[in-house]
Structure formats: structure tokens, C-alpha cells
Amino acid sequence: MSSVCLQLYYQPKIDVFANEIVGYEILLRNKDHLPYYPAAKMEKIYHNREKHSHFLVWLKKELTRVLQEYPSNSLSVNFSPRQLLYPETKQFFSEMRKFCDQLIVEITEDPILLDITEEISGKTIEESVISALAFIKNQGYEIALDDVGTGQNSFERALEYVPYLSQIKFSIVKCLKYNASLEMIAYFLKAWHQFARENHLDIVIEGIEDQEMSMKLADNGMLLQQGYYFGKPASEKNLQSS
């Protein structure tokens, strides 16, 4: 699949105390009548260096245009650990460095890394990922760890990545998907909130679907929120200047 078949969608992140949009998460969508994330096709891109290189060229062009048009907006862009292994990814962040104050790099899950044991330039896979995170941070970008506590972004991984992080994201929807009770989710939230405080990180709670949930989180000091209650992923025409 050519990357030109993709488009960028945006979902707002809200500071509920200030009642304002503090940024947007960028989400990839195809160009179907009802756009969705083409997971299987993107996996083929992420696992093929040449295709991934072409994808980065497209992404750089699209991001540059949007960042120039909305210079006061903060945008979060998702990268999997797998993508961090390609030298073209470092080149991408070097070339986008002039926008580092506007871009947050969200590190998503990549379970395939569990099955890889080979070395890259004398380093293990995890060492190579850590090296890439250090490079991105040194370029001036903020880094967030997405979906902590579910899937592969475990407590152990969060501890390993924490020197490079400025933010963690906790997804209520992901927990519900695994049939976690609301009481159990509350315990997890409390623990991750404490983790964020002790490590001087922001925490964004994703999957907010109603006012009651939003207010309860705010009452417990979790003010950065994201979810359908505030806005579904939408095209660029819905972007607001901060």
C-alpha cells in the first residue's frame, strides 16, 4: 500500500481544569468512505525497511505542512519500537527537529519485539530502542509511553524507559476490552498516577466517554484527558489553533 492512501486524523487532549485543548494525537487513517486504521497493511509497512522509508517521506511532508499551518499546536505522533530500529527514523527526527517543541513522540506497543533475539550493530533489540529514545530526547522532543499497564507497555518497560519520558498515557478503554472491572481499573489508575508523580511525568487518561467519568478523574487530580467525550478523531478541518 502506498502511503499516499493514508490521511492524518486528530483527537484532542484536554486539560479539564483549564477547560482547554492542550494538543492533539495524530491517528493514521485510510481514505475509505468510513476511514479506519488499516492495521494489517501498516504492519507490512513497519516491517519492511523500504516501505517504511517511503512512509516517513510522506509523514514528514504531511506533518511539516500541518505544523507550519498551526504553529501554536502541540501534536503527538505514534511510533512503535520496531520503527525506532531503522536508521531512517533517526534521520526523520533530525530533519523534523525545528518542530521539536510542537511534537510529542508516543511510543506504542510492538509485541513482535518479544520474539526477536538478534543484535543490531552489537546491541540487543531493547538496547537499540533505548539508544533511539536517547537520541530522540537529545533532539529536543518530548516522549510519551502509550497504553501503560496493558499489552507490552508494562510496568517493567515503563521503568526502563522512564529516563527518557515526559508523559505516560493510560487507556480506560483498553482495560475494559480485557474485561477489567471498574474497581480494578481504579486501582491501576491510582498506581500509575503515583508512578507519574514520583517520576515527574504528566499522565493522560484516554477513553473518557462521559462527563461523570471525566469529573471523577479530575477530582482525583488526573486533569489531562482524551476520549470520545471531548471529540472523536477527525480530519484536519476540525483542528483549532491553541
Side-chain angles (χ1 to χ4, degrees):
M1 180 185 70
S2 171
S3 55
V4 296
C5 295
L6 299 170
Q7 58 183 323
L8 302 182
Y9 266 45
Y10 306 84
Q11 186 173 37
K13 290 187 284 187
I14 309 294
D15 181 332
V16 296
F17 180 78
N19 192 29
E20 65 181 14
I21 296 172
V22 294
Y24 293 85
E25 180 180 358
I26 294 172
L27 301 166
L28 291 173
R29 295 290 183 264
N30 60 19
K31 291 190 174 182
D32 284 5
H33 175 61
L34 296 174
Y36 62 91
Y37 176 68
K41 293 179 180 179
M42 289 309 301
E43 281 297 302
K44 293 180 180 179
I45 289 177
Y46 293 157
H47 290 76
N48 181 288
R49 181 175 174 179
E50 183 178 358
K51 290 180 180 179
H52 184 257
S53 180
H54 290 311
F55 165 74
L56 289 181
V57 171
W58 172 83
L59 183 62
K60 177 188 172 185
K61 180 180 178 181
E62 290 297 304
L63 281 179
T64 298
R65 179 182 57 78
V66 175
L67 291 165
Q68 287 176 337
E69 187 167 348
Y70 299 92
S72 60
N73 276 346
S74 171
L75 302 179
S76 297
V77 59
N78 293 311
F79 275 78
S80 72
R82 162 73 69 170
Q83 292 175 270
L84 301 184
L85 302 179
Y86 296 122
E88 291 83 4
T89 301
K90 285 188 176 181
Q91 181 181 346
F92 169 86
F93 286 116
S94 294
E95 294 173 350
M96 294 295 291
R97 188 176 184 182
K98 61 183 176 181
F99 299 112
C100 66
D101 290 338
Q102 287 178 261
L103 281 176
I104 298 174
V105 183
E106 290 194 16
I107 307 302
T108 63
E109 297 183 71
D110 195 350
I112 195 68
L113 290 181
L114 295 176
D115 301 322
I116 300 177
T117 57
E118 72 264 24
E119 293 188 349
I120 299 177
S121 300
K123 298 179 180 178
T124 65
I125 296 296
E126 277 298 338
E127 286 172 341
S128 297
V129 172
I130 291 293
S131 177
L133 293 177
F135 175 84
I136 293 168
K137 182 178 181 180
N138 288 336
Q139 293 291 303
Y141 298 92
E142 291 189 7
I143 301 175
L145 187 62
D146 198 20
D147 294 336
V148 293
T150 57
Q152 305 306 318
N153 284 346
S154 62
F155 178 66
E156 181 181 6
R157 178 168 285 180
L159 283 173
E160 190 174 19
Y161 290 1
V162 77
Y164 313 99
L165 302 178
S166 61
Q167 183 182 106
I168 59 174
K169 302 185 74 177
F170 182 96
S171 174
I172 291 176
V173 169
K174 279 270 182 99
C175 290
L176 291 172
K177 182 180 177 181
Y178 290 107
N179 298 318
S181 67
L182 292 177
E183 183 179 17
M184 183 181 295
I185 292 173
Y187 280 119
F188 282 133
L189 268 173
K190 184 177 180 180
W192 282 109
H193 191 204
Q194 182 63 27
F195 178 89
R197 283 198 298 260
E198 289 187 8
N199 290 286
H200 310 289
L201 306 175
D202 290 331
I203 182 170
V204 178
I205 311 302
E206 297 181 289
I208 311 303
E209 297 188 340
D210 56 57
Q211 184 180 31
E212 180 182 2
M213 182 184 293
S214 175
M215 291 180 65
K216 180 177 283 190
L217 291 168
D219 289 343
N220 286 283
M222 288 170 270
L223 304 177
L224 297 178
Q225 301 178 13
Q226 181 179 339
Y228 279 17
Y229 173 61
F230 304 107
K232 295 181 180 181
S235 61
E236 185 182 331
K237 65 182 180 181
N238 291 291
L239 277 176
Q240 301 176 24
S241 296
S242 301

